[in-house]
């Protein structure tokens, strides 16, 4: 199990790209933190979640 | 009345904020990226609080559509926002060390331009630009504190706007969902709430109060 935005999910083994696709976002408007470290955009497809990982997906919306 | 001296203004700030906090504020250096509804209000709050050095960055000019929420005056229409806000900040805080850069930030120039400041405010309006700045800072400058804003359009409840600490050095203010692209306009009061969250997060970081 991995924790994504505070929710325990059965996503161990999935890539960051897979998880963003499941969330319906392409990755252009997000920042992804895995275990308190930023995941560089270039590494989304090659970063796979392991059991016990904690991931935060910050989705940005327009306005400022 | 003549403009008060540096010492007079400092003494007045010290009286309100306390000696210890004011020393930290006056030694602080903060970058504000984007000078729209968020950035212009954040910069003014920080200047009023006596932050010693502000670095303001934007590439845009003041437009009539900005006046509903951004800290500009009708006679400043057509001016670069960096120049207009520099003038206003200089009137509010005449001894604040202000650096202005009229530039569009991108992944190539961000590390160089934001090298000096220990705290960076993301105050852009477009979602992809917000993400670009946040990713660039977190990837390349992990020693910086970053305070971003996302979700403040419309007239939803004030109480849905919060400050979250995403990681040790990355704070996010806003409701996270109210997107200007969903047709909700930006209204001064709610943009100000988000800007105030960001400014207060900055001041708390300066004070060494990192918890939210």
């Amino acid at each position: 199990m991995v924790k994504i935005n505070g929710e325990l999910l059965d996503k161990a083994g999935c890539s960051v790209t897979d998880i963003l696709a499941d969330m319906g976002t392409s990755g252009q408007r997000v920042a992804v933190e895995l275990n308190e470290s930023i995941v560089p955009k270039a590494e989304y497809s090659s970063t796979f979640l392991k059991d016990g990982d904690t991931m935060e997906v910050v989705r940005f919306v327009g306005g400022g | 009345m003549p403009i008060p001296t540096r010492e007079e203004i400092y003494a007045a700030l010290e009286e309100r904020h306390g000696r210890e906090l004011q020393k930290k504020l006056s030694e602080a250096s903060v970058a504000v990226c984007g000078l729209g509804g968020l950035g212009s209000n954040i910069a003014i709050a920080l200047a009023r609080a006596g932050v010693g050095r502000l670095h303001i960055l934007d590439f845009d000019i003041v437009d009539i559509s900005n006046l509903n929420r951004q800290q500009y005056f009708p006679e400043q229409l057509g001016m670069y926002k960096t120049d207009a806000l520099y003038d206003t900040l200089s009137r509010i805080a005449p001894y604040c060390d202000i650096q202005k850069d009229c530039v569009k930030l991108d992944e190539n120039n961000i590390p160089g331009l934001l090298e000096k400041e220990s705290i960076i405010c993301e105050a852009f309006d477009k979602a992809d630009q917000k993400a670009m700045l946040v990713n660039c800072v977190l990837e390349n400058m992990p020693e910086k504190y970053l305070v971003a804003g996302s979700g403040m359009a419309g007239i939803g409840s004030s109480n849905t706007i919060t400050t979250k600490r995403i990681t040790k050095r990355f704070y996010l203010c806003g409701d996270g969902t109210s997107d200007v692209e969903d047709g909700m306009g930006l209204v001064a009061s709610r943009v100000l709430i988000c800007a105030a969250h960001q400014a207060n997060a900055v001041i708390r970081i300066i004070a060494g109060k990192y918890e939210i």
Side-chain angles (χ1 to χ4, degrees):
Chain A
M1 297 296 275
V2 297
K3 194 184 265 187
I4 300 175
N5 290 358
E7 196 180 345
L8 274 173
L9 295 167
D10 188 15
K11 299 277 186 188
C14 293
S15 71
V16 170
T17 302
D18 296 337
I19 287 163
L20 293 178
D22 286 350
M23 295 173 82
T25 177
S26 67
Q28 283 309 304
R29 297 179 172 192
V30 299
V32 178
E33 306 271 354
L34 185 58
N35 302 326
E36 291 272 318
S37 293
I38 186 82
V39 182
K41 279 197 181 294
E43 296 173 17
Y44 282 2
S45 58
S46 60
T47 301
F48 295 89
L49 272 74
K50 300 185 301 295
D51 205 37
D53 278 350
T54 297
M55 178 169 155
E56 288 289 328
V57 179
V58 177
R59 288 202 262 193
F60 292 96
V61 297
Chain B
M1 281 246 319
I3 291 169
T5 65
R6 179 186 290 269
E7 290 71 24
E8 285 169 333
I9 288 182
Y10 191 87
L13 288 165
E14 213 176 44
E15 192 181 319
R16 276 149 189 85
H17 300 153
R19 178 170 291 189
E20 191 187 345
L21 175 58
Q22 198 53 50
K23 183 171 187 296
K24 289 177 179 171
L25 289 167
S26 67
E27 289 169 356
S29 181
V30 182
V32 182
C33 303
L35 304 176
L38 293 176
S40 62
N41 284 299
I42 293 167
I44 285 177
L46 296 177
R48 287 202 186 279
V51 168
R53 185 173 180 282
L54 289 173
H55 186 185
I56 56 174
L57 306 98
D58 199 302
F59 65 91
D60 212 354
I61 58 171
V62 181
D63 183 80
I64 194 166
S65 64
N66 302 149
L67 296 176
N68 79 320
R69 68 192 188 284
Q70 305 185 17
Q71 293 295 345
Y72 301 104
F73 301 98
E75 64 267 26
Q76 292 177 319
L77 293 178
M79 285 176 76
Y80 283 113
K81 288 184 178 179
T82 41
D83 292 334
L85 191 63
Y86 181 93
D87 290 350
T88 302
L89 293 171
S90 300
R91 290 177 67 195
I92 290 169
Y95 306 107
C96 182
D97 175 13
I98 306 163
Q99 181 182 345
K100 55 178 177 176
D101 276 309
C102 188
V103 61
K104 187 166 168 54
L105 290 169
D106 60 38
E107 284 155 342
N108 297 316
N109 62 20
I110 285 169
L113 281 165
L114 304 182
E115 196 182 4
K116 286 187 204 159
E117 293 77 31
S118 55
I119 304 173
I120 296 167
C121 285
E122 178 285 312
F124 290 158
D125 56 355
K126 296 202 166 46
D128 58 338
Q129 293 298 297
K130 288 174 177 290
M132 182 277 295
L133 176 62
V134 165
N135 279 288
C136 188
V137 170
L138 294 176
E139 283 182 34
N140 299 293
M141 295 179 277
E143 76 286 2
K144 307 282 190 189
Y145 285 94
L146 176 62
V147 181
S150 178
M152 77 298 299
I155 56 165
S157 168
S158 307
N159 297 339
T160 55
I161 293 182
T162 61
T163 300
K164 292 192 175 77
R165 191 182 188 192
I166 306 293
T167 57
K168 272 186 183 164
R169 291 171 179 261
F170 174 32
Y171 296 77
L172 183 67
C173 305
D175 67 20
T177 56
S178 299
D179 193 335
V180 74
E181 288 179 15
D182 292 340
M184 292 178 289
L186 292 158
V187 182
S189 49
R190 204 155 187 271
V191 175
L192 268 164
I193 294 167
C194 190
H197 266 264
Q198 289 186 255
N200 199 48
V202 168
I203 288 172
R204 285 180 57 79
I205 292 165
I206 292 169
K209 296 180 187 299
Y210 302 109
E211 302 299 325
I212 53 164

